[in-house]
Amino acid sequence: MVAARALLFWALVYSYCGLCACIAGLRLLWSIGRRPGETFRWVVRENPPACLNDPSLGTHCYVRIKDSGLRFHYVAAGERGKPLMLLLHGFPEFWYSWRHQLREFKSEYRVVALDLRGYGETDAPPHKENYKLDCLIADIKDILESLGYNKCVLVGHDWGGMIAWLVAICYPEMVTKLIVVNFPHPSVFTEYILRHPSQLIKSGYYFFFQMPWFPEFMFTLNDFKVLKSLFTSQATGIGRKGCRLTAEDIEAYLYVFSQPGALTGPINHYRTIFSY
């Protein structure tokens, strides 16, 4: 019975992956027909926009984790010795998503906005097995210790929220306060998505990302049109007037994710979630 359920589950997963691929392929063909000269345009940004080096946001730092050997990039604001606030971004983001929080909380905390494994200037292991949740949880524990702290206020958004939940579950003594934005408790999410097909459809990108190379390819089309749309469209962008991303903000995201191979690490985070 268990084997039959597992077989049915994976059949549904790969069927849904195939459906997502077909839909993406049709959209690609449609875009080629409308703009044949523009579809495959991909501009690699060579110079970072000035906002990424704004000194008011904090200091760019690096730390190498002993166990994994990976080097992590982060931006820190606030005095050393103050309580630590550790910020974990989502997808497709990087440390810059926390620019407002870096300014807001630096008077009370040592605020650290991390580039997660595979993102931005943090090292990106080549194999998807290096992005299992166990590795991501261990990253946060090791980084906390490398920064000279044994506890922190842990803040996570989206996929960073998933990691934050799991860190708090596995190492509750390390988390004085937990703040999660836009991600439910993992157990609640798993139960809900299995019982509500509508949520399964909304989370379809989880399945789409299981395919090799094709998701990265789709993001690069029309000079990262999908990425721009995520931040600016009415459906997924910031709708509140006065809070929308500026042209320079968008260029910051394009700079990071237009670098060769920059999307594979972030998407690999999702390629291991069905291996548990």
Side-chain angles (χ1 to χ4, degrees), residues 54-220:
D54 184 348
S56 71
L57 295 178
T59 304
H60 289 260
C61 307
Y62 300 86
V63 61
R64 188 171 295 279
I65 304 303
K66 292 182 179 179
D67 289 344
S68 66
L70 298 179
R71 189 184 76 156
F72 283 77
H73 168 254
Y74 64 92
V75 173
E79 297 177 7
R80 297 178 184 272
K82 288 185 176 180
L84 177 65
M85 177 180 285
L86 186 59
L87 308 173
L88 311 180
H89 62 78
F91 174 89
E93 301 177 271
F94 64 115
W95 72 265
Y96 186 71
S97 296
W98 299 109
R99 58 197 176 281
H100 303 299
Q101 288 75 18
L102 284 163
R103 293 191 181 103
E104 177 67 26
F105 295 108
K106 65 181 180 181
S107 61
E108 299 179 38
Y109 294 91
R110 174 69 170 173
V111 188
V112 170
L114 187 67
D115 274 344
L116 294 175
R117 177 183 290 224
Y119 283 83
E121 294 184 57
T122 291
D123 287 347
H127 304 295
K128 69 176 184 180
E129 290 76 15
N130 297 123
Y131 295 86
K132 290 185 175 181
L133 289 171
D134 292 345
C135 298
L136 306 181
I137 296 167
D139 285 345
I140 306 308
K141 174 181 178 293
D142 294 342
I143 286 167
L144 192 67
E145 294 172 349
S146 297
L147 293 176
Y149 288 84
N150 55 22
K151 56 185 177 181
C152 69
V153 174
L154 188 59
V155 185
H157 169 247
D158 185 58
W159 188 254
M162 160 72 98
I163 299 172
W165 275 117
L166 295 175
V167 170
I169 291 169
C170 296
Y171 302 104
E173 71 281 1
M174 288 189 161
V175 181
T176 57
K177 293 181 181 179
L178 176 66
I179 303 167
V180 177
V181 182
N182 199 34
F183 204 102
H185 188 283
S187 297
V188 174
F189 180 65
T190 302
E191 292 177 6
Y192 189 88
I193 199 172
L194 292 175
R195 294 179 181 178
H196 297 79
S198 61
Q199 182 59 52
L200 188 66
I201 294 172
K202 291 176 182 177
S203 302
Y205 62 94
Y206 279 39
F207 302 95
F208 179 62
F209 286 167
Q210 301 309 305
M211 292 182 289
W213 72 264
F214 191 61
E216 290 95 320
F217 173 68
M218 292 301 295
F219 267 98
T220 63

Side-chain angles (χ1 to χ4, degrees), residues 227-238 244-245 250:
L227 186 64
K228 297 173 188 175
S229 178
L230 283 172
F231 292 116
T232 59
S233 71
Q234 291 185 351
T236 60
I238 300 172
R244 295 190 177 99
L245 271 66
I250 294 173

